[in-house]
């Protein structure tokens, strides 16, 4: 059997699964096949409501798709389900052969250095650009946790939304570090950027209450430090709703740069995802 969802070009609808037992702050891999059945315009919508993926124009022949996502730290039961549907599509789109499994990220290694997608080290200059518009989606090695919706290539913020990164590279001290955040869609509220050393005590770095970018230095008295925590949170009145609610504002880019001490090195990070359909507590398995 396959599933077909039909739109008029002026509406949105979808099939939804029953409730799923999803663990918080956990990486999953969703695989499925999809195709267009005379569809025009709009986009198919797929995946959990807190990590939607738009597919754009699907081919007429069956095509395999894979989506990676990390669940929020606090996952409401009302959000723990999958959907396959359409937004503003005229015609039908079809889906088949769906499968959801745990996934383990495997990062590129060079000696003591471990870097994932979006990370690079050139000499003493470290750069992390959150790989939001890649296979990794909202997953990255520096991500500590999030309480935030994700849509295709951007983080969607409303009341109580936040994303927290733990910036650390092989225990090397960071002597200088600026943070840059880009808001490419804005309706209201304010982005607050904070930093700290332990993920508990936070120092406000600055705010952004409009569309645009802001670049903020980590305070000198927090450096040097081998670990820097960065929190992006929303000051907004409305929560993000379901059905791809655009929220108060959307973050399309997060970049963290740091000057590191220690030996000079050059490495471009990468991430592969290994599906884990079954686990056994009697076994300890490492993937390199």
């Amino acid at each position: 059997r396959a599933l077909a969802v039909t739109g008029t070009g002026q509406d949105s609808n979808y099939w939804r699964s029953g409730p799923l037992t999803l663990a918080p702050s956990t990486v999953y891999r969703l695989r499925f096949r999809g195709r267009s059945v005379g569809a025009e315009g709009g986009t198919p919508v797929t995946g959990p409501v807190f990590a939607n993926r738009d597919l754009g124009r699907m081919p007429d022949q069956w095509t395999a798709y894979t989506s990676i996502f990390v669940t929020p730290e606090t996952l409401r039961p009302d959000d723990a389900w999958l959907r396959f549907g359409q937004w503003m599509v005229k015609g039908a789109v079809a889906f088949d052969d769906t499968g959801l499994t745990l996934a383990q990220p495997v990062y590129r290694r060079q000696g003591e250095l471990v870097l994932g997608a979006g990370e690079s080290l050139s000499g003493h200059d470290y750069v992390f650009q959150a790989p939001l518009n890649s296979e990794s989606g909202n997953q990255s090695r520096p991500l500590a946790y999030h309480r935030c919706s994700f849509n295709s290539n951007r983080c969607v913020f409303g009341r109580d939304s936040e994303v927290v990164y733990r910036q650390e590279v092989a225990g090397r001290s960071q002597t200088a570090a600026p943070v840059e955040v880009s808001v490419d869609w804005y309706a209201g509220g304010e982005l607050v950027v904070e930093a700290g050393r332990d993920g508990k005590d936070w120092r406000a770095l600055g705010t952004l209450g409009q569309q645009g970018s802001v670049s903020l230095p980590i305070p000198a008295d927090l450096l040097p430090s081998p670990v820097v925590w960065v929190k992006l949170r929303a000051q907004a009145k409305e929560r993000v709703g379901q059905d791809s609610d655009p929220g108060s504002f959307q973050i399309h880019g997060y970049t963290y740069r740091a000057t590191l001490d220690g030996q000079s090195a050059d490495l471009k990070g990468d991430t592969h995802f290994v599906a884990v359909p079954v686990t056994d507590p009697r076994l300890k398995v490492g993937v390199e």
Side-chain angles (χ1 to χ4, degrees):
R1 298 178 182 177
L3 166 73
V5 180
T6 303
T8 65
Q10 300 294 326
D11 63 354
S12 177
N13 58 357
Y14 54 82
W15 170 90
R16 63 173 286 176
S17 73
L20 301 175
T21 304
L22 301 178
S25 295
T26 301
V27 184
Y28 287 90
R29 185 197 72 178
L30 174 64
R31 298 187 75 178
F32 58 92
R33 291 189 299 150
R35 77 181 187 96
S36 170
V37 187
E40 299 178 356
T43 180
V45 293
T46 63
V49 291
F50 57 80
N52 174 70
R53 180 185 176 189
D54 294 339
L55 299 182
R57 175 70 168 88
M58 285 199 297
D60 294 333
Q61 61 272 16
W62 286 109
T63 303
Y65 294 91
T66 300
S67 293
I68 300 292
F69 62 86
V70 183
T71 54
E73 183 192 45
T74 303
L75 182 59
R76 296 177 296 181
D78 290 346
D79 292 338
W81 47 275
L82 300 176
R83 66 175 180 169
F84 292 89
Q86 63 81 26
W87 180 83
M88 299 298 177
V89 170
K90 185 177 182 180
V93 289
F95 304 94
D96 197 7
D97 195 21
T98 61
L100 182 69
T101 61
L102 293 169
Q104 177 182 335
V106 181
Y107 306 117
R108 179 164 289 165
R109 294 175 177 269
Q110 180 178 289
E112 64 177 3
L113 289 174
V114 180
L115 299 181
E119 297 180 277
S120 64
L121 178 60
S122 178
H124 295 277
D125 298 325
Y126 167 80
V127 178
F128 169 60
Q129 292 182 305
L132 304 176
N133 196 22
S134 74
E135 179 192 28
S136 296
N138 64 348
Q139 193 278 337
S140 64
R141 189 189 71 86
L143 179 70
Y145 61 87
H146 73 87
R147 304 183 185 110
C148 178
S149 293
F150 183 76
N151 191 344
S152 302
N153 60 357
R154 56 202 184 273
C155 297
V156 181
F157 279 68
R159 193 181 74 199
D160 300 330
S161 296
E162 62 182 35
V163 177
V164 176
Y165 292 102
R166 183 182 183 274
Q167 304 287 173
E168 182 271 338
V169 183
R172 300 188 181 191
S173 286
Q174 305 174 38
T175 58
V179 177
E180 183 176 329
V181 187
S182 298
V183 173
D184 285 6
W185 187 91
Y186 178 85
E190 191 173 54
L191 167 68
V192 180
V193 183
E194 300 173 317
R197 283 185 168 185
D198 57 7
K200 298 178 181 179
D201 296 323
W202 298 99
R203 178 89 56 82
L205 305 185
T207 61
L208 181 62
Q210 60 184 13
Q211 184 178 359
S213 299
V214 60
S215 182
L216 303 163
I218 301 298
D221 62 332
L222 294 180
L223 301 172
S225 175
V227 179
V228 175
W229 293 72
V230 178
K231 178 190 288 188
L232 312 178
R233 66 177 178 89
Q235 291 187 156
K237 295 181 180 179
E238 301 295 331
R239 284 183 178 271
V240 177
Q242 296 183 345
D243 298 342
S244 300
D245 183 344
S248 296
F249 58 86
Q250 299 176 4
I251 292 179
H252 288 64
Y254 167 84
T255 303
Y256 181 88
R257 305 176 190 275
T259 302
L260 307 181
D261 68 359
Q263 185 177 357
S264 176
D266 294 282
L267 180 65
K268 183 178 181 180
D270 196 11
T271 305
H272 294 275
F273 295 93
V274 178
V276 187
V278 179
T279 61
D280 190 319
R282 298 172 297 174
L283 298 177
K284 292 185 178 180
V285 179
V287 181
E288 297 183 357

